[in-house]
Amino acid sequence: MKRNQEWNALLEQAGRAPDGLENCVEQAIKRAKRSERKKKFLKPLSVVLGTAAAFVLLVNCSTDFALAASRVPIVRGLVEAVVLDPSLKAAITHEYVQLVDQTYTKDGVTLEIEYLMADPKNLSVFYRVYDEKERNVTLRPELKNQMGEGISTSSSYGQELVEKVPEENSLFAKIKELFRGGEPEPPIYYWKFHVEDMIPEQLKVEAEVYQAAGMAELPLNIQFEVPLTIEPQFLKSVKTFTINETVSVLGQKLTIDTVEVYPTNTCITWHTAPGNDSWLTYLPFYLTDENGVHVDGIANGISGAGGDMFGGSGKIYLESAWYDTAESLTLHLDDAAVLPKDTPPAILHEDGTLTGLPNYIKQYFSDAGDGFAVLTQKGTYYSNTNPFRRFVDANGKEGSFSKMASRVLDEEGIMHSGYPMPRGVTYPLELEIGFAPAQKLLQGIAISVR
């Protein structure tokens, strides 16, 4: 069953088949259907593919297929043997997916850990979950070391890997016909963890099981403890480029310190000059390789640690730059936002009114709820930091907003942000402004990484 699942995923990733392969596969399917050796799940490799020539053709004409096939143990060696392209061969040699293939069952709930992807600071775990009572269950994970001590992480969980549904008569639909076991597979989900220190070789995930009940989640008093051993080579999968280059961004001096490229993301560390008169509040870096392929910021998940508002240094995370295949990498910055350091705080009064707002933030009045809202001009980008981060009440007590909600309005470039009125504090409050609209740089910045 496990091999069947791997092949299903492999064929889903294969994309468009190269010309000339379909006839080979059609013949293979006909032979397989005539074969007396019919198993419920995985068919023999020779029967499935028909001829070695067809497999060679597919591997060498489809990068996605070759990379996916390299992660299936029963064909990994064959893939490496037939790949003709040197860069593709290097990518397969540098494979970063570890097969786990462990199953745990408690009180009718079964957890199957399929694969993991790890590097020195990141861990993704791919799994399926079954419930014999057909409840809608979710798992909340916590990462711990071998001693059972919690590991500080930024994490996300429960995301579903959406499988592409092939056209009924497509080549890969025909190939998948050979592998179907009759019962539909549950979707693959994944947990993602990012740590600031280092991922240990030995660790475990403790996952609590919850049942979805409308908008709420009810604990089922079921916990899985999943020990994981990371293969040592994955914990060395990082390449650090020392940049140490200073540039001027909207009149502010910015130094790019390092670019660290991991298999799952790229981390840019930077700092600003103490003499700057403004904070840099938005730095949408991106990378390009020698072919002009963009590596942009991570849309969901980790986005940064620290920032100029917290001491003049920070980190920004992009998607992986695939340093093992790129001949060159260039770091770009085309937009940025600055906030003068002497920007006075806005004042929030007990009746919910705001005074002292900059001209790009306007109060929005609504009868709904016990709170206040603002409309913010975002400038050249749609992602948005919170306009207000912290506050100080009339007695000097510091606090922060525990909840806020934002949405883009129909008007182009406007964000609506709503906040609850803080309770147990003495009004009026001074609100720290932590946002400024982004501006297009007159001349984009480009820094060679390698």
Side-chain angles (χ1 to χ4, degrees):
M1 182 173 179
K2 282 293 181 182
R3 300 286 78 82
N4 179 52
Q5 292 173 8
E6 292 166 7
W7 269 102
N8 283 342
L10 166 61
L11 296 171
E12 293 287 10
Q13 296 178 52
R16 181 181 179 275
D19 296 337
L21 180 64
E22 184 146 8
N23 288 340
C24 296
V25 175
E26 290 279 10
Q27 294 172 12
I29 290 175
K30 290 178 181 178
R31 285 195 296 272
K33 288 182 176 179
R34 291 195 302 266
S35 174
E36 294 181 0
R37 293 188 61 195
K38 290 185 178 180
K39 296 185 179 181
K40 184 178 180 181
F41 296 112
L42 184 64
K43 306 297 186 297
L45 184 61
S46 60
V47 174
V48 173
L49 295 176
T51 65
F55 187 74
V56 171
L57 182 62
L58 183 55
V59 166
N60 284 282
C61 294
S62 173
T63 300
D64 288 341
F65 185 91
L67 290 174
S70 72
R71 301 165 194 161
V72 181
I74 62 172
V75 296
R76 181 181 301 149
L78 179 59
V79 172
E80 294 188 1
V82 303
V83 171
L84 305 178
D85 182 79
S87 62
L88 187 57
K89 174 75 172 180
I92 292 174
T93 302
H94 189 74
E95 81 172 43
Y96 58 90
V97 175
Q98 178 180 329
L99 179 67
V100 178
D101 199 14
Q102 296 293 329
T103 300
Y104 305 86
T105 299
K106 279 190 176 181
D107 298 331
V109 179
T110 297
L111 171 64
E112 290 184 353
I113 306 295
E114 301 263 353
Y115 306 92
L116 65 80
M117 186 183 299
D119 61 47
K121 292 194 174 185
N122 303 277
L123 173 66
S124 297
V125 180
F126 302 85
Y127 67 94
R128 297 182 194 265
V129 61
Y130 306 77
D131 179 42
E132 65 180 20
K133 297 180 181 179
E134 298 184 351
R135 294 167 294 189
N136 183 9
V137 297
T138 59
L139 289 87
R140 294 185 182 179
E142 183 179 358
L143 199 62
K144 296 190 174 184
N145 62 22
Q146 197 174 16
M147 304 298 294
E149 301 165 332
I151 298 174
S152 178
T153 67
S154 57
S155 62
S156 57
Y157 57 88
Q159 285 84 351
E160 178 178 346
L161 295 181
V162 179
E163 296 183 354
K164 297 179 181 179
V165 179
E167 296 180 8
E168 184 178 352
N169 296 320
S170 70
L171 171 64
F172 293 104
K174 293 173 183 176
I175 297 178
K176 285 192 68 175
E177 180 185 344
L178 299 174
F179 297 98
R180 291 298 187 189
E183 295 295 328
E185 296 284 358
I188 293 181
Y189 297 91
Y190 63 94
W191 302 316
K192 296 181 70 173
F193 303 96
H194 172 76
V195 304
E196 282 302 312
D197 296 324
M198 296 290 286
I199 295 286
E201 187 173 329
Q202 301 282 342
L203 49 78
K204 60 183 177 180
V205 177
E206 291 185 357
E208 295 281 351
V209 182
Y210 290 79
Q211 178 183 0
M215 298 297 292
E217 289 185 342
L218 304 176
L220 294 179
N221 297 319
I222 301 172
Q223 183 183 76
F224 291 102
E225 185 173 298
V226 180
L228 298 173
T229 299
I230 312 300
E231 294 179 9
Q233 69 269 22
F234 293 117
L235 300 181
K236 301 175 184 178
S237 299
V238 60
K239 195 167 222 178
T240 301
F241 301 96
T242 301
I243 309 300
N244 195 28
E245 185 169 338
T246 300
V247 294
S248 178
V249 180
L250 298 176
Q252 311 304 309
K253 289 185 178 180
L254 171 69
T255 300
I256 310 302
D257 300 313
T258 61
V259 175
E260 299 174 352
V261 185
Y262 299 89
T264 56
N265 63 62
T266 299
C267 178
I268 301 164
T269 60
W270 52 273
H271 71 273
T272 55
N276 287 351
D277 62 9
S278 298
W279 303 113
L280 283 162
T281 61
Y282 179 67
L283 295 170
F285 289 109
Y286 65 93
L287 285 160
T288 59
D289 65 10
E290 68 276 7
N291 298 314
V293 176
H294 276 236
V295 178
D296 295 311
I298 296 177
N300 297 301
I302 58 174
S303 58
D308 207 1
M309 295 292 289
F310 299 97
S313 64
K315 297 180 181 180
I316 292 174
Y317 294 94
L318 310 181
E319 301 290 351
S320 175
W322 288 94
Y323 65 81
D324 55 329
T325 58
E327 294 181 7
S328 67
L329 291 173
T330 303
L331 183 66
H332 300 268
L333 184 67
D334 297 334
D335 305 74
V338 294
L339 181 69
K341 290 183 178 180
D342 59 0
T343 299
I347 306 300
L348 176 63
H349 301 275
E350 193 167 6
D351 62 359
T353 58
L354 287 161
T355 56
L357 293 174
N359 59 10
Y360 53 84
I361 302 178
K362 298 185 182 301
Q363 183 158 16
Y364 172 79
F365 291 96
S366 172
D367 295 332
D370 183 15
F372 67 97
V374 294
L375 300 179
T376 307
Q377 174 190 343
K378 300 185 304 306
T380 61
Y381 65 101
Y382 281 94
S383 61
N384 190 58
T385 56
N386 294 351
F388 308 119
R389 304 183 182 193
R390 295 187 292 262
F391 62 80
V392 177
D393 74 4
N395 293 328
K397 180 182 177 181
E398 295 185 4
S400 60
F401 294 98
S402 58
K403 295 181 180 179
M404 63 92 64
S406 295
R407 69 180 188 276
V408 177
L409 299 185
D410 292 337
E411 297 90 343
E412 183 177 356
I414 301 296
M415 174 73 74
H416 177 282
S417 301
Y419 298 83
M421 291 293 291
R423 299 182 181 277
V425 296
T426 306
Y427 286 88
L429 309 182
E430 294 185 352
L431 307 186
E432 177 189 64
I433 297 173
F435 171 82
Q439 306 173 46
K440 204 78 176 176
L441 303 184
L442 293 178
Q443 184 173 356
I445 294 169
I447 298 173
S448 176
V449 175
R450 66 174 297 180

